Every structure is written in structure tokens, then in C-alpha cells.
Amino acid sequence: MLRPSTATLADVAAAAGVGESTVSRVLRNHGSFSQKTRERVLAAATRLGYVPNRIAGTLASAGSRLVGIVIPSLANIVFPDVLRGASQALEAEGYQAVIAVSEYDMAREEAMIASMLAWRPAALMVAGLEHTPAARALLAASGTRILELMDLDGPSIDIAVGFSNREVGRASARHLLARGYRRIAYVGHDLAVDTRAAKRIAGFEEVLHAAGLALVDRETIPTASSIEAGQAGLERVLARAPRLDAVYFSNDDMAFGGYFLCMTRGISIPGDLAIFGYNGLAIGRVLPQPLSTVRTPRVEIGATAARLATENAPAQRVDLGFELVPGGTA
Amino acid sequence: MLRPSTATLADVAAAAGVGESTVSRVLRNHGSFSQKTRERVLAAATRLGYVPNRIAGTLASAGSRLVGIVIPSLANIVFPDVLRGASQALEAEGYQAVIAVSEYDMAREEAMIASMLAWRPAALMVAGLEHTPAARALLAASGTRILELMDLDGPSIDIAVGFSNREVGRASARHLLARGYRRIAYVGHDLAVDTRAAKRIAGFEEVLHAAGLALVDRETIPTASSIEAGQAGLERVLARAPRLDAVYFSNDDMAFGGYFLCMTRGISIPGDLAIFGYNGLAIGRVLPQPLSTVRTPRVEIGATAARLATENAPAQRVDLGFELVPGGTA
DNA sequence: CCGGAAATTGGCAGCGCTGCCAATTTTTCT
DNA sequence: AGAAAAATTGGCAGCGCTGCCAATTTCCGG
């Protein structure tokens, strides 16, 4: 039975009858050593149940294999998708992801950034371009590779990987206008905290205004985005502004709520009411009428960010674009 | 402008005109120091843009505030929910989550466990009770607090938090039998890799057999679970065994695929065909006919595990149960 | 079989911080 | 005021590992 792993490099070295540096070289497969030595060291390490201490290794070599990721939420599949792309690419390169969830709270984000920086990560990924001034200062001064994800509308600190949310809003509005919808309402979640949703609706309204139109109504749920919130939001809008053409939801989750509310109430989609979402979630594709939405390259954004984080890339902005999915609901 | 954070404790000490240990005490708010000293140290730290190096701190104090979490997948919302519960509770206690995703590959899980252990985490959470022998040995010998999540059907190493998947299967079968369904098929994803899904179907069949029945058909998609896989699976089953009463899906995602296939094909639910899922996802509750399924306490499992990880709890098994949601599809 | 090049190997000084202990200063009590 | 107790403070030895450099061994060509 192995004892609670307390064996150190020195123990292995003693057991194998070689020096510490030799053990270090063998275990990292770095530098030169003879085949015979290698076997002896490996045998000793196995026998002692040696587990290297990466804390010590990192301190000694000044350079961790940790990548910090600060995301706003885990409540829907969007950020897990980003994480998935990132963690897969990171693992392939021998890096590990340390994650923190800010719950869309800027002050918490700042604290988490400071906290992550204390681990001297090889890189730090954060969602979006908006941060508290102190957080921006920390990031900029850290000397760490910084990657800002999912947004390109604004100045970035180091590397930004994503797409333009404002342009997503514009494209969505153009689509609805092209299909002939004129009396359009918006149902969204808290814009003060989700700055990317705010940028989308800003782009959306920009196009509307350019066409001499305006949102007929606008319902903002002060809670996190959810299917239930979408349902409740649409309910309230319908009570206030019954003569609507179309509803633009802040994301697919909210739109699903609206979709099923219509289904339950016998409101025909898109005849009586058109529905448009954002994200391009899988379930939207198998609805009897596929959801009209905008598909975003979430996994790819995570993967690209991970690649840039581990390469020695220059500061840059990578636009991975988005795809408008016409669907059948708008 | 702050220079790329290279300031060390010693720099702050020199700038403040005090000793290193004093700075350390002030910054950790631990031990005693005068108010005047405190201010001087804090001012110096701010002026230098000092960011503590937790790598060094952890090495010196032998005890990290890191908790490793190894999960099989981020492809649907299930494990993100667990992560959410865990990360929230962990952060509240000043711990940070390091995550790794094994993609349901036992060999990768083993490598990741070894990798996490190298960070000397305060605790390590893994999904399920099945691991490679080497992984089990590593976990057991690590001397680290181990938490196995989402499964109680089998021996655990240290702490297990979850519910019985086998009992979920039994309860699901009882429900279907009580509603009069007799010709039941199963549509699931790869059972060889998802051992918890395998335990559910085993429990399900156990009850069927006890009632003198057996699964009429059984379709296993050799890929990851997904809505599309559920749809394709049901399609194939219907082609083979048209006279079915009900279909038991390995999870809600798969069930949604089936649900919408029926909707599209005009198959009435549950009149022509009953559908039963597993997980209790939010979207199932807003379908025109709410999905019949089993709701699992995912967030709570994560939170409970985090609490036990940070307390000095004894080895134990915590059954958080599950809830059968009758719904309207079975 | 010898000298020099190449391959191996060990020693040891840190990496930046914390914990322990002793030294110093301040406060309290008689 | 003097002694004892309490509060502050600094010094310094590690934590376990890596990087550098020098020492030792092995390998080759002539």
C-alpha cells in the first residue's frame, strides 16, 4: 500500500541511487540520461508512488501550465461550449484550465481576475471587453497573455477572439425587415449586466431607426436569462401590445420560452407572430419549425483562444464571425 | 504605469521599510501588526502593483486552495450544473476550481487525475465511481480528500455525493408500468462509456423482468448523447418495431430528439407513443406537454460536495435523491 | 592506447513565500 | 518606577523542484 503521497524528488533520487537533477531530467524526459538510469529512476518512482509536485516545479521554473478562465455564467450551454473548446485545446498542449464564474458581477470578476493572477497563469481568458477600471489595470499590467472572448465591439487589451455583437443585432434586424415584419418588440434579460446583449439590441435598433422604425415594445426581465423568463416576458408584452409582428429575444433560451408559449396558446408561428433568437442552440434545429436565430462559433472561439494562448502570438483581434440561421420562425 | 508585475514580497517590504514577515502578516491579515504598519504596507503594495504569488505561498505553507474537478463532458448542461454548484460554494470559501474534461474516456480520466494531484489540491472531485485500477490507486493513496459525484451504486473511495442511478431506472420503469405501457423500447447512447446510463437501464430492465416483461427493442447510438442522436435512434426503432407503447431515453436530450420527431411526424404523445427521459432539464417543463422525466439535484450535488470538500468531514455517502416528474408525455 | 569531443551526472543556489523563534517595543499591573 | 505580560517585528530556514555549471564517464578517430 502506498503511503499518502509524501515522496519527494529527493526520496526517489535516494531510492534510485542517483542525483536529484537526474531524476528531474528523466521524469520530464528532458536533457540527457542513459537508458539504464532511466529504468532505475522510473522503477523507484513507481515503487514509491511518487507524484511530482507541480507547485514546486512551477515556482522553480517560473512559468506555470495553468490558464485562468473567468466566465460570467454556467447557467446555459453558451459558456460551457466556450470552455469545452478551450479545455480540449489546452489539454492537448499540456495546460490546465482554472475556472471562475463571476455571475455577471463586475466586482466579482475583478476579484477573480486578481485571484487568478496570483497563480501566475500562462494566460488569462475573460469574457467580453468590459471590466472595472481596476480589473483592466490589473490585466494590462500583469504581463500575462490576456484573451478577451465573445466580443469585438470596443478596445481590447491584448488578444480578442469573437465576433461583433452589434453586427449580430444589425443582421437580425435586417432579416426581420426583409421578411416584412414592422411591428417588432424586444424581450430580453438584464441589459445592465449583459453588455453583449446590450450591444446586440443597440445594433438592432440602429437598423430599425435607419428604416424609420422603432421597437414597438421592450420588455426587460431583471433576472438571469432563462426559458421561464422568456415565457413570462412575452406574456407581458402580448398583454400590453397585442398587435405585434415579431419578437426579438435576447437569446435562444428566452426565445424557446416564447416559442412554447405560442404553441400552448395556439398562436401560429410565424403567421401570427414571428420569433427570432440568438445563439443557435442545437434544440432550435429540431423544433417542428426550426428557430430563426444567429449561430455563434462558441466552441471554436474557445479553441482558437486556447491556441493563441499557448502559442507566442502577437496581440490581435480574431473575428470568427457568426451565421444567420433563417429557420422557420421568422 | 505599473511594470509587468514582478514585484515580490521583499520589494514591498523594502518599500514599506518593514520586514518580509510583517508584509506577509498584513497582506494575509493574519498574526499581529499595528495599524500604522498596516497602512504603510498596504500603500507600498498598491504603489508597486504587488500581486501575491500563490505558487510560492502554497509551496511554503503546504496546502493549496485549489480543488480539482474531473468531469466527463461539457456537451450538455448536466455537468455545467454540477460545476456551477461546486464553483459557487468553493469561491465562497476562498477556493478555486481547476477543471479537466475526460470526454468519457477512462484512460484520459486517469491521466487527468494524476495531473490534478500534481497540484496538491485540497480536494479532488470526480464523476462516478468507476475508474481505472490505476486511477483508483492514485486517488486512494493520495491522502487527498476525494469526492465521487452523481452515483451511489458501488463502493466509494472517500466521500460520495449523489443518488442511485439504478433506482432511477427502477422508478422510471415502475412509472411506465403503472401507466399501462407494456411494449417499451430503449434509445440510448454509448453504454460502455457512460456507466451511469448503463446502471439506469439495468435497474429499468430489472423491474420489467420482475413484471414478466422485457424491452421490445433497444437502440444504442455509439456516439455521444445529443438531440440528433435521440431523433435518429427513435427513427430506427420505429422502422424496426412499429408497434411500440413507450420509449425510455437515456436522457432528456435524447428524449427531446424523440419528442420533436413525433411532433414532426404527427405521432401523438403519449397516445401513440409515450416518451420518458432523464435529468429534468428546464426546457422539458415548458413543452406543450411537459416531458416525463426524472429530475436530478445537480447543482445541489456540486454545492454539497464543495461544502464537504472544504469542511473536515468524515468519509461518507450522501444520498441527495431524485424526483420523478410525471409530466405529460408518459 | 591517447587526447579530445560528446554524453552523463551531481551539486547547489535559488524561485517567493510562510512558519517558527527570538528580539524589541509597548502596555499593564503592583 | 520596576517587573512581568502582551503586542510587534525581523531573521532565516526551508517548502520541492529546476537551471546552471562543473565534474565524471564514455566514445571515437588515429
Side-chain angles (χ1 to χ4, degrees):
Chain A
M1 177 57 80
L2 308 168
R3 301 147 312 162
S5 154
T6 43
T8 68
L9 234 212
D11 297 333
V12 177
V18 300
E20 293 184 34
S21 9
T22 301
V23 176
S24 174
R25 278 186 293 256
V26 170
L27 294 180
R28 284 179 300 152
N29 198 37
H30 173 272
S32 72
F33 43 81
S34 67
Q35 184 57 29
K36 206 183 59 187
T37 304
R38 190 184 118 86
E39 279 157 20
R40 226 147 31 110
V41 169
L42 258 25
T46 305
R47 182 150 34 85
L48 296 179
Y50 174 69
V51 176
N53 184 331
R54 234 184 311 240
I55 301 274
T58 300
L59 179 60
S61 64
S64 87
R65 291 291 231 171
L66 249 23
V67 171
I69 306 182
V70 182
I71 55 177
S73 164
L74 281 173
N76 66 25
I77 198 66
V78 172
F79 290 103
D81 274 349
V82 177
L83 262 187
R84 179 152 58 100
S87 108
Q88 202 159 356
L90 248 23
E91 276 155 18
E93 296 294 326
Y95 288 77
Q96 293 206 269
V98 185
I99 71 155
V101 185
S102 70
E103 303 293 346
Y104 280 110
D105 177 338
M106 291 291 206
R108 289 183 71 178
E109 188 196 60
E110 177 185 322
M112 287 167 170
I113 287 172
S115 197
M116 307 252 58
L117 250 18
W119 287 103
R120 297 293 187 271
L124 184 52
M125 320 202 325
V126 296
L129 301 167
E130 279 77 32
H131 317 287
T132 64
R136 278 189 69 90
L138 266 176
L139 292 172
S142 68
T144 304
R145 169 59 93 205
I146 305 298
L147 300 112
E148 293 171 287
L149 312 186
M150 308 290 281
D151 193 3
L152 293 177
D153 301 311
S156 51
I157 296 171
D158 181 11
I159 290 181
V161 183
F163 51 86
S164 166
N165 280 273
R166 187 172 268 275
E167 191 53 38
V168 166
R170 290 197 195 100
S172 304
R174 276 187 227 110
H175 175 84
L176 290 179
L177 292 181
R179 292 284 169 104
Y181 302 107
R182 290 295 177 272
R183 298 184 47 80
I184 306 172
Y186 174 72
V187 173
H189 56 284
D190 195 350
L191 292 180
V193 298
D194 189 339
T195 58
R196 287 174 295 289
K199 287 171 178 177
R200 291 194 294 276
I201 189 63
F204 191 93
E205 291 195 281
E206 183 189 316
V207 169
L208 245 44
H209 294 160
L213 296 169
L215 283 175
V216 170
D217 193 5
R218 161 175 203 139
E219 172 72 27
T220 306
I221 278 80
T223 63
S225 126
S226 71
I227 296 175
E228 288 82 358
Q231 201 159 32
L234 179 55
E235 226 156 13
R236 251 169 296 174
V237 167
L238 287 178
R240 274 201 307 263
R243 295 190 50 256
L244 287 179
D245 273 335
V247 181
Y248 181 44
F249 286 88
S250 58
N251 65 32
D252 280 4
D253 294 80
M254 303 282 285
F256 291 143
Y259 185 103
F260 293 120
L261 178 71
C262 290
M263 225 174 203
T264 305
R265 292 229 183 141
I267 299 173
S268 132
I269 301 174
D272 296 341
L273 187 68
I275 285 181
F276 200 93
Y278 163 75
N279 264 337
L281 301 192
I283 199 162
R285 297 203 282 277
V286 296
L287 294 178
Q289 299 157 83
L291 183 65
S292 300
T293 186
V294 165
R295 188 161 342 169
T296 53
R298 300 180 292 279
V299 178
E300 198 186 347
I301 288 176
T304 302
R307 191 166 48 66
L308 293 171
T310 57
E311 287 174 0
N312 190 20
Q316 60 192 288
R317 299 162 70 80
V318 183
D319 190 344
L320 260 23
F322 57 84
E323 180 196 354
L324 193 141
V325 180
T329 65
Chain B
M1 176 57 80
L2 308 168
R3 300 148 314 161
S5 154
T6 43
T8 68
L9 235 212
D11 297 333
V12 177
V18 300
E20 292 184 34
S21 9
T22 301
V23 176
S24 174
R25 278 186 294 256
V26 170
L27 294 180
R28 282 180 301 151
N29 198 37
H30 173 274
S32 72
F33 44 80
S34 68
Q35 184 57 31
K36 205 183 59 187
T37 304
R38 191 185 117 86
E39 278 157 21
R40 225 145 34 109
V41 168
L42 258 26
T46 305
R47 182 150 35 86
L48 297 179
Y50 174 69
V51 176
N53 184 330
R54 215 146 15 205
I55 301 274
T58 300
L59 179 60
S61 65
S64 87
R65 292 291 235 173
L66 250 22
V67 171
I69 305 182
V70 182
I71 55 178
S73 164
L74 281 173
N76 66 25
I77 198 66
V78 171
F79 289 104
D81 274 347
V82 176
L83 262 187
R84 179 152 59 100
S87 108
Q88 202 159 354
L90 247 24
E91 277 154 18
E93 296 294 325
Y95 287 78
Q96 294 206 269
V98 185
I99 72 155
V101 185
S102 70
E103 304 292 348
Y104 281 109
D105 177 337
M106 291 291 207
R108 288 183 71 177
E109 188 196 60
E110 177 185 324
M112 287 167 172
I113 286 172
S115 197
M116 308 250 59
L117 250 18
W119 287 103
R120 298 292 187 270
L124 184 51
M125 321 202 324
V126 296
L129 301 167
E130 278 77 31
H131 317 287
T132 64
R136 278 190 70 90
L138 266 176
L139 292 170
S142 69
T144 304
R145 167 60 93 206
I146 305 298
L147 300 110
E148 293 171 285
L149 311 186
M150 309 290 281
D151 193 1
L152 292 177
D153 301 310
S156 51
I157 296 171
D158 181 10
I159 290 181
V161 182
F163 52 86
S164 165
N165 280 274
R166 186 172 269 273
E167 191 52 38
V168 166
R170 290 197 196 102
S172 305
R174 277 187 227 111
H175 175 85
L176 289 179
L177 291 181
R179 292 283 169 105
Y181 303 108
R182 290 296 177 272
R183 299 183 48 81
I184 306 173
Y186 174 73
V187 174
H189 56 284
D190 195 347
L191 291 180
V193 298
D194 189 339
T195 57
R196 287 174 296 288
K199 286 171 178 177
R200 290 194 295 275
I201 189 61
F204 191 92
E205 290 195 282
E206 183 188 317
V207 169
L208 245 44
H209 294 161
L213 294 169
L215 284 175
V216 171
D217 194 5
R218 162 176 203 139
E219 172 72 25
T220 305
I221 278 81
T223 63
S225 126
S226 71
I227 296 176
E228 288 82 359
Q231 200 159 32
L234 179 56
E235 226 156 14
R236 252 169 295 173
V237 168
L238 288 178
R240 274 201 308 262
R243 296 190 48 256
L244 286 179
D245 273 335
V247 182
Y248 181 45
F249 285 89
S250 58
N251 65 31
D252 280 5
D253 294 82
M254 304 282 285
F256 291 145
Y259 184 102
F260 293 120
L261 179 69
C262 289
M263 224 174 202
T264 305
R265 292 230 183 138
I267 298 173
S268 134
I269 301 174
D272 296 343
L273 187 67
I275 285 181
F276 200 94
Y278 162 76
N279 264 337
L281 302 190
I283 199 162
R285 297 203 283 277
V286 297
L287 294 178
Q289 299 157 85
L291 183 64
S292 301
T293 186
V294 165
R295 188 163 338 169
T296 53
R298 300 180 292 279
V299 178
E300 198 186 348
I301 288 176
T304 301
R307 190 167 47 68
L308 292 170
T310 57
E311 287 174 0
N312 191 19
Q316 60 191 288
R317 298 163 70 80
V318 182
D319 190 344
L320 259 23
F322 57 85
E323 180 195 353
L324 194 143
V325 180
T329 64

